[in-house]
Amino acid sequence: MRCFVLLAVAGGVTGGMAAGYSRARLVTYVWIGQGLLGTVNIWGGPELADRIRTGDVVADLLRPVDPVWQYLAADLGRGAFAVLSRLLVPVVVGAIAFDLYTPARVATYPLFALSLLLAVVVSFACRHLVNASAYWLLDARGPQMGWVAASSALSGMAFPLAFLPAPVVAGLYLATPLPYLIQVPSDVLVERYPLSTTAMMVAGQAVWAAVMLGVARLVQRRAERRVVIQGG
């Protein structure tokens, strides 16, 4: 349905280009977005929040490895498997039903792989922060619902962010990590921008990955100073 809606948008624009996307790019954007949704895992489960609520998180805190790195390693392994099970399948289905855009630049392929890796890291750090709110709130369902709403609307999952007014898009890229979850990897693959601009976008992903991981570790350290497990 999303695919045909976006195709209808492109069909109503002179030249068939909607916000810089051709019909083939829009189709590819939709199907790669479906694959990225499961690979980047922006709606991942509340495992950390549940472990905090039940007290099982104490086992993580007793290990000699920072909990942030423990969970990141597990999420990277999950993401690697999801590339095969969740990313390739939607692309193959989309290729059967539609004419997908094939990247013309050789550099696009390694850039997309790097962008996908960084998107997984950014998503993990954001979800870790949301779930870590359980250290203070115990019940993290409120922050989780807020995260789902924000990431659904502003990550590029529902529609390309270029459809929004330019100041809003600029604000999202500069002030939030949300566009770096779905929008940037998708734009890298469909080659919407010149190579130099694409490389800058991936560099922005790297910056946000470092920032969000740093914040996640800071929050984790502060939480460990106040965590109480069954009154202990």
Side-chain angles (χ1 to χ4, degrees), residues 130-156:
V130 170
N131 286 301
S133 65
Y135 281 117
W136 289 267
L137 303 177
L138 192 58
D139 187 344
R141 285 178 292 181
Q144 288 163 0
M145 292 175 63
W147 165 251
V148 169
S151 60
S152 298
L154 302 176
S155 67

Side-chain angles (χ1 to χ4, degrees), residues 20 33 40 104 191-192 194 208 216 226:
V40 175
E191 298 179 335
R192 182 175 182 269
W208 272 106
R226 59 152 289 131

Side-chain angles (χ1 to χ4, degrees), residues 2-4 6-7 21-35 86-104 109 112 186 189-191:
R2 287 178 54 228
C3 192
F4 282 111
L6 291 180
L7 285 175
Y21 294 91
S22 64
R23 292 172 61 88
R25 282 188 167 97
L26 282 174
V27 169
T28 306
Y29 183 95
V30 170
W31 288 100
I32 197 65
Q34 288 299 114
R86 300 294 300 274
L87 180 62
L88 294 182
V89 173
V91 173
V92 170
V93 172
I96 294 173
F98 299 93
D99 293 327
L100 299 186
Y101 177 82
T102 302
Y109 295 96
F112 175 71
S186 299
L189 189 65
V190 302
E191 298 179 335

Side-chain angles (χ1 to χ4, degrees), residues 175-189:
T176 78
L178 294 173
Y180 301 95
L181 300 173
I182 302 293
Q183 183 70 55
V184 170
S186 299
D187 279 345
V188 170
L189 189 65

